[in-house]
């Protein structure tokens, strides 16, 4: 061995190993563990300004785009120290145990960044009070192993509000435990359910005709803030 070149080769190897170690560490911090998707936002709020019970899927109130409401909620988020992100229209279908039938709701999902648990709770409470809502749903994204994690957010394409309504009417267990869900305008089902009900949610999406292999599953903490 040429002793004048060996130290250089060793330095190259050491540098390469160090770079590989940093790359692996970066990948581990960027990507979630198998079966768990990384979150594009810190937290989410699901809210509406509607206070009526709507049982007719053709009700014209379900066509609103909630544009003004969207601007107002984003202003509330900003005014209370968080950073609003994107917002998306949703068509919700829920089961009413009192009415014994499906109810419908046009709502919005709001991404919220730079917010903690208490701040998110406070913002949701302000929105609930301002718009006379019984509750505002929040979902704070967390690692699956976090002691605060109690729920999953499932997003899967290929579903319509009509599909969701029919499946709820046909499945008593899903009605009782899942309560309902929402569908984006481009046909993505969004379900937020307790972690323990993940197998039920997976079965329910199959009933809807959605492909579970295309589902995104995120873990976190959900709260209904009144």
């Amino acid at each position: 061995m040429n002793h004048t070149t060996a130290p250089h080769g060793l330095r190259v190897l050491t540098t390469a190993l160090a770079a590989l170690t940093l790359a692996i560490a970066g990948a581990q911090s960027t990507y979630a563990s198998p079966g768990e998707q990384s979150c594009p936002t810190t937290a989410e709020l699901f809210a509406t300004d509607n206070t009526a019970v709507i049982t007719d899927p053709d009700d014209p109130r379900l066509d609103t785009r909630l544009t003004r409401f969207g601007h107002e909620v984003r202003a509330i988020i900003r005014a209370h120290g968080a950073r609003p992100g994107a917002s998306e229209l949703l068509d919700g279908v829920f089961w009413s145990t009192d009415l014994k039938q499906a109810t419908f709701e046009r709502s919005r999902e709001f991404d919220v960044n730079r917010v903690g648990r208490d701040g998110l709770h406070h913002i949701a409470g302000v929105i609930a009070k301002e718009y006379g809502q019984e509750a505002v749903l929040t979902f704070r994204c967390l690692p699956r192993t976090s002691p605060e994690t109690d729920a999953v957010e499932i997003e899967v394409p290929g579903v319509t509000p009509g599909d969701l309504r029919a499946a709820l009417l046909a499945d008593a267990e899903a009605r009782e435990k899942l309560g309902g869900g929402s569908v984006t305008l481009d046909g993505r089902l969004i379900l937020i359910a307790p972690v323990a009900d993940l197998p039920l949610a997976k079965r329910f999406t199959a009933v809807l005709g959605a492909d579970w292999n295309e589902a995104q599953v995120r873990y976190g903490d959900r709260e209904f803030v009144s």
Side-chain angles (χ1 to χ4, degrees), residues 62-225:
L62 299 173
D63 294 328
T64 177
R65 296 193 65 83
L66 296 174
T67 303
R68 180 176 178 180
F69 174 72
H71 291 316
E72 292 173 349
V73 169
R74 287 168 61 87
I76 290 172
I77 293 170
R78 190 178 295 108
H80 288 85
R83 175 175 289 183
S87 177
E88 188 166 22
L89 275 172
L90 301 174
D91 288 313
V93 183
F94 307 97
W95 180 256
S96 171
T97 54
D98 293 334
L99 298 175
K100 304 298 182 185
Q101 62 179 316
T103 61
F104 304 89
E105 186 173 83
R106 174 59 69 90
S107 64
R108 275 190 172 274
E109 178 272 337
F110 297 89
D111 290 353
V112 187
N113 293 296
R114 295 189 178 179
V115 70
R117 180 186 61 187
D118 294 342
L120 183 65
H121 177 94
H122 177 72
I123 292 169
V126 170
I127 294 169
K129 182 178 180 180
E130 178 71 20
Y131 297 98
Q133 297 301 303
E134 184 176 339
V136 170
L137 173 62
T138 68
F139 182 81
R140 188 166 52 98
C141 201
L142 297 168
R144 179 169 48 180
T145 55
S146 170
E148 296 180 83
T149 292
D150 62 8
V152 290
E153 179 184 59
I154 301 160
E155 186 173 329
V156 59
V159 177
T160 69
D163 296 333
L164 182 55
R165 176 179 182 273
L168 281 175
L169 292 175
D171 193 327
E173 185 181 15
R175 292 199 303 266
E176 177 185 350
K177 293 186 176 181
L178 300 178
S182 297
V183 180
T184 64
L185 298 191
D186 63 354
R188 288 176 288 114
L189 172 71
I190 296 179
L191 284 177
I192 296 182
V195 171
D197 290 331
L198 180 56
L200 170 61
K202 182 177 181 179
R203 177 180 63 77
F204 187 62
T205 58
V207 171
L208 286 166
D211 185 354
W212 184 257
N213 291 324
E214 297 184 26
Q216 295 182 2
V217 180
R218 304 180 181 97
Y219 290 78
D221 169 46
R222 74 167 184 172
E223 184 181 11
F224 292 94
V225 183

